[in-house]
């Protein structure tokens, strides 16, 4: 879906959006809260990596539950997903490519056999809805069903992990603890987990005096757009009281993030429960950003 053009893109996206309704996303709130509490209950009393202990397990558990994939496979999902998204690095090695291939083979084999099982045992979840759409006729091929599930599982957690990490890194040294919708949007604007998406020009265009030729690839730097002073006053200041009309962190246009409402819900519930339950949470080691561009996130975030 991420790489397709209409009409194939519209068909796949339409099917996912039909299954991914606002009602189903909102109904995830109790599961998100319960998962946050379970993870916080297990926080150690010595310094620990916030990414491994909270930011990573929360979104992968949520997207697996929503899709209807067994949550005891979350470690495998994380491993496969990490190996696959490593393909988006510049200067990737042959080993990275082999590992991504192997992860794709393993992920596909798992989903193939799991979908066969679920076909015989449908439930109330997104996977059963997508299987029903596939069985209803020409709408979704078996291969598209598997690649859509992989996209949802991978896209459904990778970016949220780093948004939670970046948010905690920014917020802990400050005093804001009231997680309003405006704070969630400011977190997303200020330090987005995905910096670059590309587009190809369908025709020659003039973009503010810059000539872009038909077929040329253009990198849209979402993070730079978010910090454009023409659009946000004092853009380098984190300010959850600013009246933000929009930001580019979820992209825009045809490929606008399908999971934006789910991501917003996870960030808002996750941060509020953390602040309420752990009022003394502090950063214990200076955090470092990973030297990658496919995800803008931290290597680790040591807290106590
Ligand atoms: C803070 C978390 C998230 C951020 C910042 C984010 C960001 C983005 C961005 C920038 C795109 C657009 C790509 C483009 O323009 O080419 C995108 C697409 C997408 N996102 Fe997210 N995302 C997040 C969470 C999620 C979640 C939770 C899901 C769950 C299903 C999800 C599913 C998708 C899918 C399926 C697409 C492809 C849509 C298409 O190609 O039509 N994302 N996301």
């Amino acid at each position: 879906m991420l790489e397709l053009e209409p009409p194939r893109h519209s068909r796949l996206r339409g099917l996912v959006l039909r299954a991914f309704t606002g009602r189903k996303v909102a109904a995830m709130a109790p599961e998100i809260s319960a998962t946050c509490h379970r993870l916080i209950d297990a926080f150690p009393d010595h310094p620990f990596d916030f990414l491994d202990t909270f930011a990573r397990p929360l979104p992968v558990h949520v997207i697996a539950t929503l899709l209807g994939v067994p949550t005891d496979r979350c470690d495998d999902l994380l491993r496969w997903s990490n190996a696959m998204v490593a393909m988006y690095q510049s200067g990737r090695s042959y080993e990275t490519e082999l590992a991504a291939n192997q992860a794709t083979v393993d992920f596909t084999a798992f989903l193939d056999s799991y979908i066969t099982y679920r076909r015989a045992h449908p439930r109330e979840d997104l996977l059963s809805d997508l299987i029903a759409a596939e069985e209803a006729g020409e709408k979704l091929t078996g291969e598209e069903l598997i690649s859509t599930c992989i996209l949802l599982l991978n896209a459904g957690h990778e970016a949220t992990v780093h948004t939670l990490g970046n948010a905690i890194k920014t917020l802990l040294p400050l005093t804001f603890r009231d997680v309003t919708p405006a704070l969630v949007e400011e977190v997303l604007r200020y330090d987005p987990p995905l910096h670059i998406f590309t587009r190809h020009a369908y025709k020659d265009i003039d973009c503010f005096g810059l000539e872009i030729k038909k077929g040329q690839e253009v990198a849209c730097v979402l993070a730079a757009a978010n910090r454009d002073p023409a659009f946000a006053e004092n853009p380098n200041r984190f300010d959850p009281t600013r009246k933000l009309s929009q930001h580019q962190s979820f992209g825009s246009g045809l490929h606008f993030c399908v999971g934006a409402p789910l991501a917003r819900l996870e960030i808002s519930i996750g941060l509020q429960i953390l602040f309420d339950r752990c009022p003394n949470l502090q950063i214990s080691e200076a955090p470092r950003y990973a030297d990658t561009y496919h995800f803008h996130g931290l290597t680790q975030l040591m807290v106590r």
Side-chain angles (χ1 to χ4, degrees), residues 177-189:
R177 293 294 179 267
D178 188 11
V179 185
T180 59
L183 179 135
V184 173
E185 296 314 304
E186 181 66 351
V187 154
L188 285 158
R189 177 198 75 84

Side-chain angles (χ1 to χ4, degrees), residues 2 9 13 20 155-156 159 163 193-194 197 199 249-251 255 257 259 263:
L2 197 57
H9 172 262
R13 188 176 162 104
F20 214 81
T163 306
L194 298 165
F197 274 91
R199 294 289 187 267
S249 302
F250 290 119
H255 291 273
C257 178

Side-chain angles (χ1 to χ4, degrees), residues 106-117:
D106 296 345
F107 207 162
T108 302
F110 160 69
L111 280 173
D112 205 20
S113 78
Y114 189 65
I115 288 169
T116 305
Y117 166 77

Side-chain angles (χ1 to χ4, degrees), residues 67-83:
L67 198 66
V69 168
T71 50
D72 61 6
R73 299 303 297 265
C74 280
D75 287 347
D76 288 325
L77 300 179
L78 271 173
R79 207 164 35 80
W80 293 328
S81 177
N82 289 169

Side-chain angles (χ1 to χ4, degrees), residues 51-102:
L51 296 187
D52 276 345
T53 318
F54 191 89
R56 229 168 244 127
L58 175 64
V60 71
H61 178 90
V62 169
I63 191 65
T65 306
L66 187 64
L67 198 66
V69 168
T71 50
D72 61 6
R73 299 303 297 265
C74 280
D75 287 347
D76 288 325
L77 300 179
L78 271 173
R79 207 164 35 80
W80 293 328
S81 177
N82 289 169
M84 289 171 78
V85 300
M87 286 294 284
Y88 291 97
Q89 284 174 76
S90 59
R92 62 181 189 234
S93 66
Y94 184 55
E95 284 68 37
T96 305
E97 294 173 357
L98 288 182
N101 256 353
Q102 191 56 50

